[in-house]
């Protein structure tokens, strides 16, 4: 397996009907279905090939830097795996990777599934597949997960707080979906499995077929014979969680920036009620927070940095400064976005303006820049690109 980035693919045209979305244009799909209602697409990717072979997938699950899970349903799989770590009374067992090949059940044993997260970070064909979905902002993209299931394998009826495209890439899987009327989960199970799943629709997906599901739709996919499914997942920020992350990041950046503002209470009188919080201290805390909120630029910087923060297991291999006369392409692991004033990459931000800003935005949108653009780059932009090349964030374009 090679780690060379795949040839860059231009983002899909947003107004052209495409088989990927069942003959809708990306624009029409976003208007009619995105975050609104599911869509089953027969032959979304005709002639699709699994981005990875089964044996390679099992090998990937052995790696420390790859997030993987093994889910076994012993009542389907038989007594052979009874007593495994993480097994709940309902019979489901969950094991987190790295997973040695010998710890996987036999292929012939029904009812088990191996899930590997972030395939796009490791497998060029998966990175390429993901490019087709770049009609959705990168800020929303999470990753491409792949699952391999033995006959009858699945993860049980559940819901995700994600938008997801479930693309069947090998074998057949029966999907049942329904609105989420009751979000209660089965107790004492190591997975989040709904206890009252009410399916409304059911389809068997063949290779190339795809199902789009908005967040909070209940679904259950059961393999019919061994199969592989790709999940292209889009993260959906939760308000309180995002506020916490943005405020922490912003506050860290302000730390040490300018004079420290200490609370002052020279007017504090002697108190007979020492347990009572002084009103002045409450006001001071409120003002400190208001001060943060009055700086939208600072908040935007913090947001962009959070959105591009590499995932925990991601690391970059150091590279060389760029040779002359080459274009550049971003490493598949690099996350890059921009706003009106700044560009963000891998958790850092730069203020940019003028021509450099235009080139950097093109780099973010296309994930590559041609040799002519790089050769005409300003010294500041060239220095930045060289630095990113040395950090392994981008590479000479093929
Ligand atoms: C799977 O591929 O088995 C599960 C994907 C999902 O339901 O989110
Ligand atoms: Co799901």
């Amino acid at each position: 397996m090679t780690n060379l980035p795949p040839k860059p693919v231009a983002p899909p045209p947003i107004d052209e009907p495409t088989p990927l979305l069942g003959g809708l244009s990306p624009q029409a799909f976003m208007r009619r279905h995105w975050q609104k209602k599911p869509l089953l697409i027969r032959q979304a990717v005709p002639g699709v090939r699994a981005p990875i072979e089964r044996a390679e997938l099992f090998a990937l699950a052995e790696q420390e830097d790859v997030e993987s899970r093994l889910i076994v349903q012993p009542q389907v799989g038989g007594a052979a795996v009874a007593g495994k770590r993480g097994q709940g009374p309902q019979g489901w067992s969950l094991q987190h990777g790295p997973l040695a090949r010998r710890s996987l059940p036999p292929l012939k044993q029904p009812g088990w599934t191996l899930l590997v997260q972030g395939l796009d970070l490791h497998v060029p064909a998966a990175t390429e597949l993901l490019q087709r979905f770049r009609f959705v902002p990168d800020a929303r993209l999470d990753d491409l997960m792949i699952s391999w299931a033995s006959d009858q394998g699945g993860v049980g009826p559940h819901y995700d707080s994600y938008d997801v495209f479930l693309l069947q890439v090998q074998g057949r899987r029966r999907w049942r979906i329904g609105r989420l009327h009751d979000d209660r989960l089965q107790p004492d199970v190591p997975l989040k499995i709904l206890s009252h799943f009410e399916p409304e629709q059911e389809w068997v997906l063949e290779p190339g077929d795809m199902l789009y599901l908005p967040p909070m739709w209940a679904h259950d996919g059961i393999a019919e014979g061994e199969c592989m499914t790709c999940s292209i997942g889009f993260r959906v920020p939760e308000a309180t969680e995002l506020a916490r992350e943005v405020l922490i990041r912003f506050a860290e950046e302000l730390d040490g920036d300018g004079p420290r503002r200490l609370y002052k209470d020279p007017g504090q009188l002697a108190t007979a009620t020492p347990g009572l919080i002084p009103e002045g201290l409450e006001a001071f805390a409120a003002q400190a927070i208001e001060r943060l909120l009055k700086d939208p630029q600072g908040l935007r910087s913090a947001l962009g940095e959070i959105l591009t923060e590499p995932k925990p297991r991601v690391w970059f291999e150091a590279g060389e400064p760029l040779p002359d006369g080459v274009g550049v392409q971003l490493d598949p692991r690099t996350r890059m976005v921009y706003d009106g004033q700044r560009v963000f990459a891998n958790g850092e931000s730069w203020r940019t303006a003028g021509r450099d800003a235009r080139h950097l935005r093109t780099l973010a949108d296309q994930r590559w820049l041609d040799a002519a653009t790089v050769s005409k780059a300003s010294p500041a932009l060239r220095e930045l690109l060289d630095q990113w090349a040395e950090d392994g964030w981008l590479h000479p374009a093929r």
Side-chain angles (χ1 to χ4, degrees), residues 39-70:
L39 179 64
L40 170 75
I41 305 139
R42 293 289 180 195
Q43 291 309 291
V45 186
V48 72
R49 291 192 51 199
I52 188 166
E53 299 287 332
R54 183 182 66 203
E56 283 178 319
L57 184 69
F58 289 3
L60 212 51
E62 291 191 297
Q63 284 181 214
E64 284 279 348
D65 61 337
V66 174
E67 193 184 331
S68 60
R69 282 169 295 160
L70 168 65

PDB file of all heavy atoms in Angstrom, residues 39-70:
ATOM      1  N   LEU A  39     -32.300   9.457   1.066  1.00  0.00           N
ATOM      2  CA  LEU A  39     -32.386   9.210  -0.369  1.00  0.00           C
ATOM      3  C   LEU A  39     -31.668   7.902  -0.690  1.00  0.00           C
ATOM      4  O   LEU A  39     -30.504   7.719  -0.311  1.00  0.00           O
ATOM      5  CB  LEU A  39     -31.733  10.359  -1.146  1.00  0.00           C
ATOM      6  CG  LEU A  39     -31.723  10.208  -2.679  1.00  0.00           C
ATOM      7  CD1 LEU A  39     -33.133  10.206  -3.249  1.00  0.00           C
ATOM      8  CD2 LEU A  39     -30.891  11.324  -3.336  1.00  0.00           C
ATOM      9  N   LEU A  40     -32.384   6.997  -1.352  1.00  0.00           N
ATOM     10  CA  LEU A  40     -31.759   5.766  -1.838  1.00  0.00           C
ATOM     11  C   LEU A  40     -31.352   6.002  -3.282  1.00  0.00           C
ATOM     12  O   LEU A  40     -32.169   6.459  -4.090  1.00  0.00           O
ATOM     13  CB  LEU A  40     -32.736   4.593  -1.768  1.00  0.00           C
ATOM     14  CG  LEU A  40     -32.226   3.338  -2.483  1.00  0.00           C
ATOM     15  CD1 LEU A  40     -31.139   2.650  -1.661  1.00  0.00           C
ATOM     16  CD2 LEU A  40     -33.357   2.380  -2.787  1.00  0.00           C
ATOM     17  N   ILE A  41     -30.110   5.711  -3.608  1.00  0.00           N
ATOM     18  CA  ILE A  41     -29.630   5.926  -4.972  1.00  0.00           C
ATOM     19  C   ILE A  41     -29.116   4.601  -5.520  1.00  0.00           C
ATOM     20  O   ILE A  41     -28.108   4.074  -5.031  1.00  0.00           O
ATOM     21  CB  ILE A  41     -28.494   6.978  -4.997  1.00  0.00           C
ATOM     22  CG1 ILE A  41     -28.978   8.274  -4.335  1.00  0.00           C
ATOM     23  CG2 ILE A  41     -28.031   7.243  -6.425  1.00  0.00           C
ATOM     24  CD1 ILE A  41     -27.961   8.914  -3.454  1.00  0.00           C
ATOM     25  N   ARG A  42     -29.840   4.069  -6.515  1.00  0.00           N
ATOM     26  CA  ARG A  42     -29.362   2.845  -7.155  1.00  0.00           C
ATOM     27  C   ARG A  42     -28.236   3.225  -8.115  1.00  0.00           C
ATOM     28  O   ARG A  42     -28.342   4.211  -8.839  1.00  0.00           O
ATOM     29  CB  ARG A  42     -30.500   2.179  -7.945  1.00  0.00           C
ATOM     30  CG  ARG A  42     -31.618   1.645  -7.074  1.00  0.00           C
ATOM     31  CD  ARG A  42     -31.185   0.424  -6.295  1.00  0.00           C
ATOM     32  NE  ARG A  42     -32.275  -0.082  -5.468  1.00  0.00           N
ATOM     33  CZ  ARG A  42     -32.105  -0.951  -4.478  1.00  0.00           C
ATOM     34  NH1 ARG A  42     -30.887  -1.388  -4.163  1.00  0.00           N
ATOM     35  NH2 ARG A  42     -33.127  -1.373  -3.784  1.00  0.00           N
ATOM     36  N   GLN A  43     -27.170   2.450  -8.107  1.00  0.00           N
ATOM     37  CA  GLN A  43     -26.019   2.661  -8.992  1.00  0.00           C
ATOM     38  C   GLN A  43     -25.504   4.110  -8.958  1.00  0.00           C
ATOM     39  O   GLN A  43     -25.306   4.754  -9.982  1.00  0.00           O
ATOM     40  CB  GLN A  43     -26.353   2.220 -10.412  1.00  0.00           C
ATOM     41  CG  GLN A  43     -26.506   0.698 -10.493  1.00  0.00           C
ATOM     42  CD  GLN A  43     -25.294  -0.022  -9.869  1.00  0.00           C
ATOM     43  OE1 GLN A  43     -24.202   0.033 -10.418  1.00  0.00           O
ATOM     44  NE2 GLN A  43     -25.464  -0.670  -8.707  1.00  0.00           N
ATOM     45  N   ALA A  44     -25.277   4.593  -7.734  1.00  0.00           N
ATOM     46  CA  ALA A  44     -24.657   5.914  -7.554  1.00  0.00           C
ATOM     47  C   ALA A  44     -23.242   5.909  -8.113  1.00  0.00           C
ATOM     48  O   ALA A  44     -22.783   6.889  -8.702  1.00  0.00           O
ATOM     49  CB  ALA A  44     -24.633   6.264  -6.063  1.00  0.00           C
ATOM     50  N   VAL A  45     -22.529   4.807  -7.895  1.00  0.00           N
ATOM     51  CA  VAL A  45     -21.164   4.665  -8.419  1.00  0.00           C
ATOM     52  C   VAL A  45     -21.113   3.339  -9.190  1.00  0.00           C
ATOM     53  O   VAL A  45     -20.699   2.319  -8.659  1.00  0.00           O
ATOM     54  CB  VAL A  45     -20.123   4.677  -7.267  1.00  0.00           C
ATOM     55  CG1 VAL A  45     -18.702   4.676  -7.838  1.00  0.00           C
ATOM     56  CG2 VAL A  45     -20.316   5.871  -6.345  1.00  0.00           C
ATOM     57  N   PRO A  46     -21.549   3.369 -10.479  1.00  0.00           N
ATOM     58  CA  PRO A  46     -21.586   2.115 -11.229  1.00  0.00           C
ATOM     59  C   PRO A  46     -20.179   1.531 -11.346  1.00  0.00           C
ATOM     60  O   PRO A  46     -19.208   2.275 -11.491  1.00  0.00           O
ATOM     61  CB  PRO A  46     -22.115   2.532 -12.608  1.00  0.00           C
ATOM     62  CG  PRO A  46     -22.578   3.941 -12.470  1.00  0.00           C
ATOM     63  CD  PRO A  46     -21.933   4.531 -11.263  1.00  0.00           C
ATOM     64  N   GLY A  47     -20.093   0.218 -11.252  1.00  0.00           N
ATOM     65  CA  GLY A  47     -18.790  -0.445 -11.384  1.00  0.00           C
ATOM     66  C   GLY A  47     -17.843  -0.147 -10.229  1.00  0.00           C
ATOM     67  O   GLY A  47     -16.631  -0.293 -10.375  1.00  0.00           O
ATOM     68  N   VAL A  48     -18.398   0.269  -9.099  1.00  0.00           N
ATOM     69  CA  VAL A  48     -17.539   0.631  -7.953  1.00  0.00           C
ATOM     70  C   VAL A  48     -16.647  -0.542  -7.562  1.00  0.00           C
ATOM     71  O   VAL A  48     -17.041  -1.711  -7.685  1.00  0.00           O
ATOM     72  CB  VAL A  48     -18.402   1.067  -6.732  1.00  0.00           C
ATOM     73  CG1 VAL A  48     -19.106  -0.115  -6.097  1.00  0.00           C
ATOM     74  CG2 VAL A  48     -17.576   1.813  -5.715  1.00  0.00           C
ATOM     75  N   ARG A  49     -15.443  -0.219  -7.132  1.00  0.00           N
ATOM     76  CA  ARG A  49     -14.564  -1.255  -6.585  1.00  0.00           C
ATOM     77  C   ARG A  49     -14.264  -0.888  -5.151  1.00  0.00           C
ATOM     78  O   ARG A  49     -14.088   0.292  -4.831  1.00  0.00           O
ATOM     79  CB  ARG A  49     -13.271  -1.320  -7.389  1.00  0.00           C
ATOM     80  CG  ARG A  49     -13.511  -1.872  -8.788  1.00  0.00           C
ATOM     81  CD  ARG A  49     -12.201  -2.200  -9.458  1.00  0.00           C
ATOM     82  NE  ARG A  49     -11.362  -3.035  -8.594  1.00  0.00           N
ATOM     83  CZ  ARG A  49     -10.045  -3.158  -8.758  1.00  0.00           C
ATOM     84  NH1 ARG A  49      -9.433  -2.505  -9.711  1.00  0.00           N
ATOM     85  NH2 ARG A  49      -9.333  -3.934  -7.959  1.00  0.00           N
ATOM     86  N   ALA A  50     -14.196  -1.884  -4.288  1.00  0.00           N
ATOM     87  CA  ALA A  50     -13.852  -1.600  -2.892  1.00  0.00           C
ATOM     88  C   ALA A  50     -12.500  -0.900  -2.879  1.00  0.00           C
ATOM     89  O   ALA A  50     -11.583  -1.327  -3.591  1.00  0.00           O
ATOM     90  CB  ALA A  50     -13.808  -2.891  -2.092  1.00  0.00           C
ATOM     91  N   PRO A  51     -12.350   0.185  -2.116  1.00  0.00           N
ATOM     92  CA  PRO A  51     -11.063   0.895  -2.129  1.00  0.00           C
ATOM     93  C   PRO A  51      -9.931   0.070  -1.526  1.00  0.00           C
ATOM     94  O   PRO A  51      -8.769   0.439  -1.636  1.00  0.00           O
ATOM     95  CB  PRO A  51     -11.337   2.152  -1.286  1.00  0.00           C
ATOM     96  CG  PRO A  51     -12.627   1.921  -0.584  1.00  0.00           C
ATOM     97  CD  PRO A  51     -13.371   0.848  -1.303  1.00  0.00           C
ATOM     98  N   ILE A  52     -10.276  -1.050  -0.907  1.00  0.00           N
ATOM     99  CA  ILE A  52      -9.254  -1.870  -0.257  1.00  0.00           C
ATOM    100  C   ILE A  52      -9.725  -3.331  -0.272  1.00  0.00           C
ATOM    101  O   ILE A  52     -10.924  -3.597  -0.201  1.00  0.00           O
ATOM    102  CB  ILE A  52      -9.013  -1.352   1.185  1.00  0.00           C
ATOM    103  CG1 ILE A  52      -7.824  -2.029   1.840  1.00  0.00           C
ATOM    104  CG2 ILE A  52     -10.252  -1.490   2.057  1.00  0.00           C
ATOM    105  CD1 ILE A  52      -7.362  -1.314   3.119  1.00  0.00           C
ATOM    106  N   GLU A  53      -8.765  -4.240  -0.400  1.00  0.00           N
ATOM    107  CA  GLU A  53      -9.097  -5.680  -0.331  1.00  0.00           C
ATOM    108  C   GLU A  53      -9.286  -6.076   1.122  1.00  0.00           C
ATOM    109  O   GLU A  53      -8.717  -5.450   2.026  1.00  0.00           O
ATOM    110  CB  GLU A  53      -7.926  -6.507  -0.898  1.00  0.00           C
ATOM    111  CG  GLU A  53      -7.593  -6.242  -2.339  1.00  0.00           C
ATOM    112  CD  GLU A  53      -8.631  -6.830  -3.274  1.00  0.00           C
ATOM    113  OE1 GLU A  53      -9.271  -7.827  -2.894  1.00  0.00           O
ATOM    114  OE2 GLU A  53      -8.802  -6.271  -4.372  1.00  0.00           O
ATOM    115  N   ARG A  54     -10.020  -7.167   1.318  1.00  0.00           N
ATOM    116  CA  ARG A  54     -10.289  -7.625   2.684  1.00  0.00           C
ATOM    117  C   ARG A  54      -8.996  -7.836   3.479  1.00  0.00           C
ATOM    118  O   ARG A  54      -8.857  -7.381   4.613  1.00  0.00           O
ATOM    119  CB  ARG A  54     -11.102  -8.926   2.630  1.00  0.00           C
ATOM    120  CG  ARG A  54     -11.496  -9.460   3.971  1.00  0.00           C
ATOM    121  CD  ARG A  54     -12.240 -10.771   3.827  1.00  0.00           C
ATOM    122  NE  ARG A  54     -11.374 -11.830   3.299  1.00  0.00           N
ATOM    123  CZ  ARG A  54     -11.807 -12.914   2.665  1.00  0.00           C
ATOM    124  NH1 ARG A  54     -13.103 -13.092   2.476  1.00  0.00           N
ATOM    125  NH2 ARG A  54     -10.966 -13.818   2.223  1.00  0.00           N
ATOM    126  N   ALA A  55      -8.011  -8.535   2.860  1.00  0.00           N
ATOM    127  CA  ALA A  55      -6.772  -8.860   3.589  1.00  0.00           C
ATOM    128  C   ALA A  55      -6.024  -7.583   3.988  1.00  0.00           C
ATOM    129  O   ALA A  55      -5.473  -7.473   5.085  1.00  0.00           O
ATOM    130  CB  ALA A  55      -5.882  -9.752   2.731  1.00  0.00           C
ATOM    131  N   GLU A  56      -6.043  -6.590   3.084  1.00  0.00           N
ATOM    132  CA  GLU A  56      -5.361  -5.313   3.389  1.00  0.00           C
ATOM    133  C   GLU A  56      -6.085  -4.581   4.520  1.00  0.00           C
ATOM    134  O   GLU A  56      -5.462  -3.936   5.363  1.00  0.00           O
ATOM    135  CB  GLU A  56      -5.387  -4.409   2.156  1.00  0.00           C
ATOM    136  CG  GLU A  56      -4.391  -4.778   1.079  1.00  0.00           C
ATOM    137  CD  GLU A  56      -4.532  -3.837  -0.117  1.00  0.00           C
ATOM    138  OE1 GLU A  56      -5.673  -3.516  -0.486  1.00  0.00           O
ATOM    139  OE2 GLU A  56      -3.514  -3.432  -0.649  1.00  0.00           O
ATOM    140  N   LEU A  57      -7.408  -4.696   4.500  1.00  0.00           N
ATOM    141  CA  LEU A  57      -8.203  -4.037   5.548  1.00  0.00           C
ATOM    142  C   LEU A  57      -7.886  -4.651   6.912  1.00  0.00           C
ATOM    143  O   LEU A  57      -7.684  -3.940   7.902  1.00  0.00           O
ATOM    144  CB  LEU A  57      -9.694  -4.177   5.226  1.00  0.00           C
ATOM    145  CG  LEU A  57     -10.626  -3.454   6.199  1.00  0.00           C
ATOM    146  CD1 LEU A  57     -10.493  -1.946   6.060  1.00  0.00           C
ATOM    147  CD2 LEU A  57     -12.076  -3.872   5.986  1.00  0.00           C
ATOM    148  N   PHE A  58      -7.818  -5.979   6.949  1.00  0.00           N
ATOM    149  CA  PHE A  58      -7.502  -6.657   8.216  1.00  0.00           C
ATOM    150  C   PHE A  58      -6.101  -6.241   8.685  1.00  0.00           C
ATOM    151  O   PHE A  58      -5.864  -6.081   9.871  1.00  0.00           O
ATOM    152  CB  PHE A  58      -7.579  -8.184   8.036  1.00  0.00           C
ATOM    153  CG  PHE A  58      -8.993  -8.717   7.865  1.00  0.00           C
ATOM    154  CD1 PHE A  58     -10.090  -7.866   7.815  1.00  0.00           C
ATOM    155  CD2 PHE A  58      -9.217 -10.085   7.767  1.00  0.00           C
ATOM    156  CE1 PHE A  58     -11.384  -8.360   7.654  1.00  0.00           C
ATOM    157  CE2 PHE A  58     -10.513 -10.598   7.609  1.00  0.00           C
ATOM    158  CZ  PHE A  58     -11.591  -9.732   7.549  1.00  0.00           C
ATOM    159  N   ALA A  59      -5.178  -6.066   7.725  1.00  0.00           N
ATOM    160  CA  ALA A  59      -3.814  -5.657   8.086  1.00  0.00           C
ATOM    161  C   ALA A  59      -3.810  -4.235   8.646  1.00  0.00           C
ATOM    162  O   ALA A  59      -3.097  -3.915   9.602  1.00  0.00           O
ATOM    163  CB  ALA A  59      -2.897  -5.759   6.868  1.00  0.00           C
ATOM    164  N   LEU A  60      -4.641  -3.383   8.049  1.00  0.00           N
ATOM    165  CA  LEU A  60      -4.736  -1.992   8.516  1.00  0.00           C
ATOM    166  C   LEU A  60      -5.241  -1.945   9.963  1.00  0.00           C
ATOM    167  O   LEU A  60      -4.781  -1.135  10.766  1.00  0.00           O
ATOM    168  CB  LEU A  60      -5.711  -1.245   7.585  1.00  0.00           C
ATOM    169  CG  LEU A  60      -5.501   0.229   7.314  1.00  0.00           C
ATOM    170  CD1 LEU A  60      -4.090   0.528   6.874  1.00  0.00           C
ATOM    171  CD2 LEU A  60      -6.494   0.704   6.258  1.00  0.00           C
ATOM    172  N   ALA A  61      -6.184  -2.841  10.263  1.00  0.00           N
ATOM    173  CA  ALA A  61      -6.772  -2.857  11.614  1.00  0.00           C
ATOM    174  C   ALA A  61      -5.746  -3.268  12.670  1.00  0.00           C
ATOM    175  O   ALA A  61      -5.964  -3.078  13.865  1.00  0.00           O
ATOM    176  CB  ALA A  61      -7.973  -3.799  11.646  1.00  0.00           C
ATOM    177  N   GLU A  62      -4.606  -3.817  12.217  1.00  0.00           N
ATOM    178  CA  GLU A  62      -3.550  -4.207  13.171  1.00  0.00           C
ATOM    179  C   GLU A  62      -2.692  -3.003  13.557  1.00  0.00           C
ATOM    180  O   GLU A  62      -1.922  -3.070  14.499  1.00  0.00           O
ATOM    181  CB  GLU A  62      -2.645  -5.284  12.549  1.00  0.00           C
ATOM    182  CG  GLU A  62      -3.354  -6.610  12.367  1.00  0.00           C
ATOM    183  CD  GLU A  62      -2.398  -7.735  11.996  1.00  0.00           C
ATOM    184  OE1 GLU A  62      -1.772  -7.658  10.915  1.00  0.00           O
ATOM    185  OE2 GLU A  62      -2.279  -8.677  12.785  1.00  0.00           O
ATOM    186  N   GLN A  63      -2.794  -1.904  12.776  1.00  0.00           N
ATOM    187  CA  GLN A  63      -1.899  -0.763  12.990  1.00  0.00           C
ATOM    188  C   GLN A  63      -2.350   0.098  14.172  1.00  0.00           C
ATOM    189  O   GLN A  63      -3.529   0.322  14.370  1.00  0.00           O
ATOM    190  CB  GLN A  63      -1.858   0.114  11.724  1.00  0.00           C
ATOM    191  CG  GLN A  63      -1.032  -0.461  10.624  1.00  0.00           C
ATOM    192  CD  GLN A  63      -0.993   0.438   9.395  1.00  0.00           C
ATOM    193  OE1 GLN A  63      -0.940  -0.059   8.284  1.00  0.00           O
ATOM    194  NE2 GLN A  63      -1.025   1.756   9.588  1.00  0.00           N
ATOM    195  N   GLU A  64      -1.343   0.603  14.899  1.00  0.00           N
ATOM    196  CA  GLU A  64      -1.571   1.485  16.053  1.00  0.00           C
ATOM    197  C   GLU A  64      -2.235   2.800  15.648  1.00  0.00           C
ATOM    198  O   GLU A  64      -3.022   3.365  16.400  1.00  0.00           O
ATOM    199  CB  GLU A  64      -0.217   1.864  16.689  1.00  0.00           C
ATOM    200  CG  GLU A  64       0.425   0.789  17.515  1.00  0.00           C
ATOM    201  CD  GLU A  64      -0.162   0.706  18.909  1.00  0.00           C
ATOM    202  OE1 GLU A  64      -0.902   1.628  19.292  1.00  0.00           O
ATOM    203  OE2 GLU A  64       0.110  -0.310  19.591  1.00  0.00           O
ATOM    204  N   ASP A  65      -1.864   3.309  14.450  1.00  0.00           N
ATOM    205  CA  ASP A  65      -2.333   4.642  14.053  1.00  0.00           C
ATOM    206  C   ASP A  65      -3.669   4.587  13.306  1.00  0.00           C
ATOM    207  O   ASP A  65      -4.083   5.577  12.711  1.00  0.00           O
ATOM    208  CB  ASP A  65      -1.266   5.360  13.203  1.00  0.00           C
ATOM    209  CG  ASP A  65      -0.949   4.603  11.924  1.00  0.00           C
ATOM    210  OD1 ASP A  65      -1.180   3.385  11.879  1.00  0.00           O
ATOM    211  OD2 ASP A  65      -0.470   5.231  10.961  1.00  0.00           O
ATOM    212  N   VAL A  66      -4.326   3.434  13.329  1.00  0.00           N
ATOM    213  CA  VAL A  66      -5.618   3.300  12.647  1.00  0.00           C
ATOM    214  C   VAL A  66      -6.684   2.969  13.684  1.00  0.00           C
ATOM    215  O   VAL A  66      -6.466   2.118  14.553  1.00  0.00           O
ATOM    216  CB  VAL A  66      -5.535   2.186  11.576  1.00  0.00           C
ATOM    217  CG1 VAL A  66      -6.901   1.931  10.948  1.00  0.00           C
ATOM    218  CG2 VAL A  66      -4.527   2.564  10.498  1.00  0.00           C
ATOM    219  N   GLU A  67      -7.817   3.677  13.580  1.00  0.00           N
ATOM    220  CA  GLU A  67      -8.898   3.455  14.550  1.00  0.00           C
ATOM    221  C   GLU A  67      -9.800   2.334  14.023  1.00  0.00           C
ATOM    222  O   GLU A  67     -10.396   2.466  12.959  1.00  0.00           O
ATOM    223  CB  GLU A  67      -9.688   4.758  14.674  1.00  0.00           C
ATOM    224  CG  GLU A  67     -10.627   4.796  15.842  1.00  0.00           C
ATOM    225  CD  GLU A  67     -11.438   6.092  15.837  1.00  0.00           C
ATOM    226  OE1 GLU A  67     -10.952   7.132  15.331  1.00  0.00           O
ATOM    227  OE2 GLU A  67     -12.576   6.034  16.338  1.00  0.00           O
ATOM    228  N   SER A  68      -9.882   1.230  14.770  1.00  0.00           N
ATOM    229  CA  SER A  68     -10.711   0.113  14.302  1.00  0.00           C
ATOM    230  C   SER A  68     -11.512  -0.491  15.443  1.00  0.00           C
ATOM    231  O   SER A  68     -11.166  -0.322  16.621  1.00  0.00           O
ATOM    232  CB  SER A  68      -9.815  -0.954  13.666  1.00  0.00           C
ATOM    233  OG  SER A  68      -8.888  -1.429  14.618  1.00  0.00           O
ATOM    234  N   ARG A  69     -12.587  -1.160  15.083  1.00  0.00           N
ATOM    235  CA  ARG A  69     -13.461  -1.823  16.073  1.00  0.00           C
ATOM    236  C   ARG A  69     -13.925  -3.153  15.519  1.00  0.00           C
ATOM    237  O   ARG A  69     -14.174  -3.279  14.317  1.00  0.00           O
ATOM    238  CB  ARG A  69     -14.717  -0.975  16.330  1.00  0.00           C
ATOM    239  CG  ARG A  69     -14.523   0.203  17.244  1.00  0.00           C
ATOM    240  CD  ARG A  69     -15.746   1.107  17.193  1.00  0.00           C
ATOM    241  NE  ARG A  69     -15.916   1.698  15.889  1.00  0.00           N
ATOM    242  CZ  ARG A  69     -17.075   2.210  15.428  1.00  0.00           C
ATOM    243  NH1 ARG A  69     -18.159   2.166  16.162  1.00  0.00           N
ATOM    244  NH2 ARG A  69     -17.133   2.741  14.230  1.00  0.00           N
ATOM    245  N   LEU A  70     -14.057  -4.105  16.409  1.00  0.00           N
ATOM    246  CA  LEU A  70     -14.604  -5.414  16.047  1.00  0.00           C
ATOM    247  C   LEU A  70     -15.897  -5.603  16.829  1.00  0.00           C
ATOM    248  O   LEU A  70     -15.912  -5.445  18.052  1.00  0.00           O
ATOM    249  CB  LEU A  70     -13.600  -6.513  16.426  1.00  0.00           C
ATOM    250  CG  LEU A  70     -14.122  -7.946  16.369  1.00  0.00           C
ATOM    251  CD1 LEU A  70     -14.481  -8.348  14.938  1.00  0.00           C
ATOM    252  CD2 LEU A  70     -13.089  -8.920  16.950  1.00  0.00           C
TER     253      LEU A  70
END
